[in-house]
Amino acid sequence: MAAFKTLDDLGDVTGMVALVRVDLNLPMNGGSATDVTRVEAVKPTILELSERGAKVLLLAHFGRPGGKRSSMLSTSMVVGDVEEVLGKELMFIPEIAGPVVEQSIGILADGDIGLLDNTRFWPGEDTNDSSLAQAIAAHGDFFVNDAFSAAHRAHASTEGITHFLPSYAGRAMEAELKALDAALGNPEAPVAAVVGGAKVSSKLGVLENLVGRVQHLIIGGGMANTFLAARGVNVGKSLCEHDLTDTASRILDAADHAGCTVHLPYDVVVSKEFTANPPSLRTCNVHEVAEDEMILDIGASAVEALADVLKTCRTLVWNGPLGAFETEPFDAATVALARTAAALTSEGSLISVAGGGDTVAALAQAGVTNDVTYISTAGGAFLEWMEGKELPGVAALVASNV
């Protein structure tokens, strides 16, 4: 991975203004956050800069206001939640540039923390307007990006600002980039990837990139049915994108040429109805699925074979569940393989990196959240990284180090 600067490269920052891009786009209910994971993630960076004597100004977006102010989408909504996690008071500043920000900086003491308003209230944020980026940067001595989840956006507060200030990766960003580099950038081989989810169409770029990067590609979820159909298997009334079977065949051919083994289930859990613990539940060979049945999970024998594959690997990257994991008992395969991956990680034989909302929920359901090497909570940015795309927010940190 190309080099980027971190907080370790900063000297004495006492009295300096740190502009810190964070992700405070929290899920809300009744005026308070229902999940503060994103605040917990950026807490080490904020507190370190504060303890080192910098005046910390937080830049964040909240929702999609479309370049217009909205009281319901002001970052003032999350002040209380952020204060509770940090254990420190915040000054809310209802602008992102200009005299109000300048005056507020004058009031802040060394080590104090201010939260600027929603960056997306200004139309120039989404369009990466250089003049807006310069106006924001005018208030800071240096910039810290600790919002990997927004790194796939070339916005004024993620990419534009790096052209005007010395720029550094925060602790969460640093950990994320190191984990991702270990997973796909410069991994220990053999590498396995688990890709699940409902539709092939949503992960085409991921699959096309991975077949040339990993030695084992494990396909699960509804998308596995499309690949099974491409191989001539009758998948009954399972979720299946029959119009993409040619695409699936092309990916299978590309995997063959690249020396990547694609693992599809050979025994599956089927049912005539998609409900919890249905009476028509049974496990069968993939060639025995009836016309009125749907595949809802991978069978126990296939999971055992996949566990054996992981035992031969040194690195695992995981995105998406193997079955309809939200409904019992169709979480069994995902839970079983996640526990195998966690056990191999704990004993030191596997580096495991997972990401995506469903994946995070599935690993939590398996009770192994703390036993994998790294879990990325970034949705779109994680997927684009798996597709092999350059992330503007990350590229900007590298470019500013040149």
Side-chain angles (χ1 to χ4, degrees), residues 102 120 249 253:
E102 200 56 48
R120 291 184 180 173
S249 294
D253 288 343

Side-chain angles (χ1 to χ4, degrees), residues 133-359:
Q134 189 169 11
I136 299 169
H139 300 291
D141 294 298
F142 60 94
F143 171 66
V144 176
N145 193 343
D146 214 26
F148 176 80
S149 55
H152 60 313
R153 311 271 189 221
H155 286 176
S157 69
T158 61
E159 198 278 341
I161 194 171
T162 64
H163 297 280
F164 303 102
L165 286 174
S167 301
Y168 304 83
R171 295 304 184 198
M173 175 74 86
E174 179 186 359
E176 183 102 28
L177 295 180
K178 284 180 177 172
L180 299 189
D181 191 50
L184 277 186
N186 189 27
E188 280 191 55
V191 184
V194 173
V195 182
K199 295 185 173 182
V200 172
S201 51
S202 65
K203 305 232 173 128
L204 269 180
V206 172
L207 295 167
E208 288 168 345
N209 181 47
L210 289 178
V211 292
R213 306 284 292 274
V214 305
Q215 286 71 53
H216 296 277
L217 178 59
I218 296 166
I219 301 176
M223 66 172 64
N225 303 333
T226 304
F227 279 85
L228 288 170
R231 284 191 167 169
V233 175
N234 183 350
V235 295
K237 61 172 187 173
S238 306
L239 175 67
C240 179
E241 292 173 285
H242 291 283
D243 59 324
L244 284 180
T245 52
D246 286 348
T247 303
S249 294
R250 195 177 71 242
I251 291 170
L252 290 170
D253 288 343
D256 277 345
H257 288 300
C260 169
T261 304
V262 176
H263 300 269
L264 293 169
Y266 50 81
D267 70 326
V268 289
V269 179
V270 299
S271 170
K272 292 178 181 176
E273 58 274 306
F274 181 26
T275 55
N277 302 301
S280 60
L281 182 75
R282 73 185 186 104
T283 301
C284 66
N285 184 283
V286 289
H287 295 286
E288 297 169 352
V289 180
E291 287 292 348
D292 61 348
E293 289 180 319
M294 60 187 95
I295 299 169
L296 293 166
D297 201 7
I298 289 175
S301 298
V303 174
E304 205 171 306
L306 294 177
D308 288 340
V309 170
L310 293 192
K311 286 169 190 170
T312 70
C313 292
R314 295 288 296 146
T315 305
L316 168 67
V317 57
W318 188 325
N319 176 255
L322 299 176
F325 83 100
E326 304 94 338
T327 307
E328 289 187 348
F330 309 118
D331 60 341
T334 303
V335 167
L337 197 63
R339 286 179 179 162
T340 297
L344 293 169
T345 304
S346 295
E347 69 185 37
S349 67
L350 188 70
I351 294 165
S352 52
V353 175
D358 280 352
T359 315

Side-chain angles (χ1 to χ4, degrees), residues 17-25 42 46 56-62 75 78 93 95-97 101 113-120 122 125 132-133 135-140 142-147 150 155-162 165:
V17 177
L19 287 168
V20 185
R21 183 59 162 93
V22 291
D23 184 354
L24 301 179
N25 196 20
V42 295
I46 297 169
V56 183
L57 289 190
L58 304 179
L59 286 159
H61 71 274
F62 189 56
T75 53
V78 301
I93 303 167
E95 298 288 338
I96 58 171
V101 177
I113 304 163
L115 173 61
L116 302 172
D117 214 338
N118 190 343
T119 56
R120 291 184 180 173
W122 285 262
E125 163 72 338
L132 177 64
I136 299 169
H139 300 291
F142 60 94
F143 171 66
V144 176
N145 193 343
D146 214 26
H155 286 176
S157 69
T158 61
E159 198 278 341
I161 194 171
T162 64
L165 286 174

